[in-house]
Amino acid sequence: KAGVTQTPRYLIKTRGQQVTLSCSPISGHRSVSWYQQTPGQGLQFLFEYFSETQRNKGNFPGRFSGRQFSNSRSEMNVSTLELGDSALYLCASSYQVNTEAFFGQGTRLTVV
Amino acid sequence: GDSVTQMEGPVTLSEEAFLTINCTYTATGYPSLFWYVQYPGEGLQLLLKATKADDKGSNKGFEATYRKETTSFHLEKGSVQVSDSAVYFCALRLEYGNKLVFGAGTILRVKS
């Protein structure tokens, strides 16, 4: 059974640009959540999607957005990148609500 | 708000030593509690979980007991190995939804 796949694994962007990260959940899983991991702030929740609907959102500016497609794949977008957006972005998939979360290996975003 | 506090590291132990990593939480209702482990360059792996008071989660020699009276979920292992060197995260999940709230993480270094 394939795990959670995040692409790309590494990304370097310039301040002011925008970026799109992709997450393919485990087959059959309908919930996808996104987290930002930085040395200073630790692991912070970005948003959660279930069956294409955003169910929950963390305390991030509107530059951070996401969506989920009918095949449960999810993308997150960050516009007008800032240096502080440099982080490891982790995606987690769950079968449904209140079930175990399985994490991908993450996308390492560096903003220069 | 909901939060998790875990002991600061790094924790440095010799092989076969006893491990305790303290974790306490603040949450409304009855959260589920988790320990995740992160190896260098990797995402998070679920180590163990407990979904109600007095439950004991265990895996690979690690154990933690959900103590509602002290709002704690301390991680223990009787004899650590060099391969246990990693970052350990305590987390809670509220009753409805898949959002995880993480502690700051504790670096564990095991010397041979």
Side-chain angles (χ1 to χ4, degrees):
Chain A
K1 192 174 185 181
V4 180
T5 303
Q6 291 189 245
T7 56
R9 287 292 310 278
Y10 302 92
L11 207 48
I12 300 176
K13 289 287 188 179
T14 304
R15 269 183 303 174
Q17 287 187 313
Q18 76 164 12
V19 68
T20 299
L21 312 182
S22 179
C23 172
S24 292
I26 292 170
S27 178
H29 284 199
R30 296 164 62 191
S31 172
V32 172
S33 299
W34 289 88
Y35 296 84
Q36 181 196 64
Q37 185 177 22
T38 60
Q41 299 297 316
L43 280 155
Q44 293 189 287
F45 171 78
L46 281 156
F47 20 67
E48 174 196 350
Y49 289 88
F50 183 80
S51 293
E52 301 179 69
T53 301
Q54 187 179 89
R55 295 190 74 251
N56 206 344
K57 188 177 191 306
N59 188 25
F60 279 81
R63 300 185 296 107
F64 291 81
S65 63
R67 58 179 176 169
Q68 187 180 33
F69 302 96
S70 59
N71 62 357
S72 294
R73 190 177 71 85
S74 177
E75 289 181 347
M76 67 163 281
N77 185 77
V78 188
S79 62
T80 320
L81 283 165
E82 300 176 359
L83 295 179
D85 297 333
S86 294
L88 180 67
Y89 290 87
L90 292 166
C91 167
S93 89
S94 302
Y95 178 64
Q96 56 183 11
V97 176
N98 285 0
T99 58
E100 182 178 338
F102 295 84
F103 282 81
Q105 291 186 293
T107 294
R108 171 75 62 185
L109 171 66
T110 302
V111 182
V112 297
Chain B
D2 306 306
S3 65
V4 175
T5 302
Q6 59 183 105
M7 62 188 288
E8 290 188 25
V11 173
T12 303
L13 297 172
S14 296
E15 210 166 19
E16 299 184 4
F18 184 86
L19 167 71
T20 299
I21 301 179
N22 290 338
C23 171
T24 58
Y25 68 91
T26 302
T28 53
Y30 302 92
S32 295
L33 301 175
F34 304 85
W35 277 100
Y36 281 87
V37 59
Q38 186 176 37
Y39 298 99
E42 299 291 321
L44 301 175
Q45 298 176 24
L46 178 64
L47 183 58
L48 52 84
K49 66 180 180 182
T51 57
K52 61 183 187 297
D54 300 325
D55 267 3
K56 177 187 280 189
S58 61
N59 185 27
K60 300 180 181 178
F62 291 90
E63 293 183 340
T65 301
Y66 189 143
R67 301 286 188 200
K68 191 160 179 63
E69 64 276 13
T70 54
T71 62
S72 65
F73 193 54
H74 305 319
L75 182 68
E76 296 181 336
K77 187 176 185 183
S79 175
V80 293
Q81 306 300 313
V82 172
S83 58
D84 293 327
S85 298
V87 184
Y88 291 81
F89 293 92
C90 184
L92 67 82
R93 186 186 69 208
L94 299 174
E95 293 167 274
Y96 304 106
N98 286 333
K99 173 185 174 182
L100 291 165
V101 177
F102 288 92
T106 302
I107 296 172
L108 171 64
R109 297 183 180 133
V110 181
K111 303 182 299 184
S112 58

